[in-house]
Amino acid sequence: MKLWHAVTVICMVACGCGKGGAGAPDIRQLPVKGTVTFDGQPLAGADVVFMTGFPPAAFGARTNDDGTYQLQTIAGREAECQGDCKVTISRMIKPDGSPLAPGEAPANVGAVEELPAKYSQFERTTLSATVAGGEATIDFALTSK
């Protein structure tokens, strides 16, 4: 399985996709939050993933309407979100430009990536963050250029 597939699956679990079903994991909030903007405007419905180096772990969130996010993880995980992290921010949209509905699978509606690869692809991202112990506010100002 390619690494970005693993990151996507981890993000879906961490962001709570499928919450409420039998066997759904308990999700806990991390004290890492921030705001994502795209060309100066809040970016709603984007998936933010922080990936630590060693031990490897992914932590994810989906941005709110105002572009804010707060990282989440599966409760009981031993890994912590700290140190130098590689970051991806992705926003899938339908071919007509409309956002995905909650729970709608991107593959089922032919969704495409809205953001440039330098933000959305793990292998090409230019985004990073250093998370020290305790709370952190990390904002990302993305541009289309």
Side-chain angles (χ1 to χ4, degrees):
M1 176 186 299
K2 289 190 175 187
L3 183 56
W4 67 272
H5 283 128
V7 170
T8 301
V9 170
I10 291 167
C11 181
M12 289 173 60
V13 170
C15 292
C17 296
K19 272 187 183 178
D26 289 332
I27 303 297
R28 74 175 169 102
Q29 299 286 324
L30 298 177
V32 179
K33 60 186 176 182
T35 301
V36 179
T37 58
F38 187 64
D39 290 336
Q41 300 299 313
L43 184 63
D47 293 315
V48 180
V49 176
F50 281 49
M51 179 72 114
T52 62
F54 189 80
F59 305 88
R62 175 152 298 165
T63 58
N64 298 314
D65 290 341
D66 62 358
T68 59
Y69 71 92
Q70 182 165 6
L71 291 184
Q72 299 176 336
T73 188
I74 298 170
R77 282 185 92 148
E78 291 183 27
E80 292 297 325
C81 185
Q82 64 182 29
D84 295 327
C85 300
K86 197 170 193 177
V87 178
T88 60
I89 301 176
S90 171
R91 184 168 185 255
M92 301 297 286
I93 58 173
K94 294 178 185 178
D96 65 4
S98 62
L100 298 175
E104 194 167 38
N108 291 346
V109 295
V112 295
E113 177 60 56
E114 179 180 28
L115 301 178
K118 67 181 179 178
Y119 305 131
S120 61
Q121 291 181 4
F122 182 80
E123 299 86 5
R124 297 177 63 189
T125 187
T126 58
L127 302 174
S128 63
T130 300
V131 180
E135 294 185 25
T137 299
I138 303 170
D139 298 330
F140 296 96
L142 312 181
T143 63
S144 56
K145 298 179 183 176

